[in-house]
Amino acid sequence: MGKFSILSEFWDFLKHRKKWWLAPIVIMLLMLGLLIVFTEGTAMAPFVYALF
């Protein structure tokens, strides 16, 4: 499966255990992480870190 095995395992977990409330939490955490990574070297970084 390679790189996406964690995503497929998480999807299977959501399907079989009916834990759909976890999906928005994980998506928001991923989006916040990507925001921090992509704005790390820009002039926008102080404003993003001020949010936390």
Side-chain angles (χ1 to χ4, degrees), residues 2 9-10 12 15-17 24 26 30 37 42 44-45 52:
E9 286 182 30
F10 181 67
D12 287 337
K15 280 194 317 190
H16 294 289
R17 308 272 188 200
V26 171
L30 288 173
V37 167
T42 65
M44 191 182 207
F52 303 107

Side-chain angles (χ1 to χ4, degrees), residues 8-35:
S8 65
E9 286 182 30
F10 181 67
W11 179 251
D12 287 337
F13 173 78
L14 289 179
K15 280 194 317 190
H16 294 289
R17 308 272 188 200
K18 308 279 193 256
K19 303 281 186 186
W20 295 112
W21 57 271
L22 283 174
I25 296 170
V26 171
I27 291 169
M28 287 303 297
L29 286 174
L30 288 173
M31 288 174 54
L32 284 173
L34 288 174
L35 178 68

